[in-house]
Amino acid sequence: MPLKLTLGMDEKLIVNGAVIRSRADGVSLVFENQAHILRQKDILTADNATTPAARVYLALQCAYLFPERRAAHLKDFHGLLADYVEAAPSAEKTADAIRVKVEADQLYNALKQCRRLIDHETELLRYVH
């Protein structure tokens, strides 16, 4: 089934590792086959991965976008996730849900679950002064 995306002015999109930017508002793209796609709102840059949960997300994002280095990125992801759960055991259920998606090779869905890990971290950090 084709995927149709409409981009706003200067909105970025990553498709199979290539960054694409819209130069007009309302640009529509239709993907007729399988592609690894992330919209700007879901992209995390290395410079912005400043917390443990964000680094977990970044490693998973790289595994999703760069299949030629997937094994290395997934190794990093598993290590970072284990470290996060060790530091914050209350995240175990969320981590398990992410692992299930990764093991099923559903990396895009795992990224969506990983946002919950970032939310968990944000909640924990609210109490740190």
Side-chain angles (χ1 to χ4, degrees), residues 45-119:
T45 64
D47 290 341
N48 292 329
T50 57
T51 68
R55 286 189 284 276
V56 171
Y57 184 94
L58 181 64
L60 188 56
Q61 174 184 282
C62 288
Y64 173 66
L65 291 173
F66 307 110
E68 67 281 0
R69 294 203 15 90
R70 180 173 287 176
H73 292 303
L74 285 178
K75 181 179 178 187
D76 292 343
F77 157 77
H78 285 295
L80 291 165
L81 185 59
D83 290 347
Y84 185 88
V85 172
E86 183 178 331
S90 58
E92 184 69 46
K93 186 175 181 180
T94 301
D96 286 345
I98 297 167
R99 286 185 194 107
V100 165
K101 297 292 184 189
V102 169
E103 289 169 15
D105 201 31
Q106 297 175 353
L107 298 188
Y108 181 80
N109 290 327
L111 280 169
K112 289 170 46 175
Q113 289 285 328
C114 205
R115 284 286 179 188
R116 292 184 181 162
L117 194 69
I118 293 171
D119 293 343

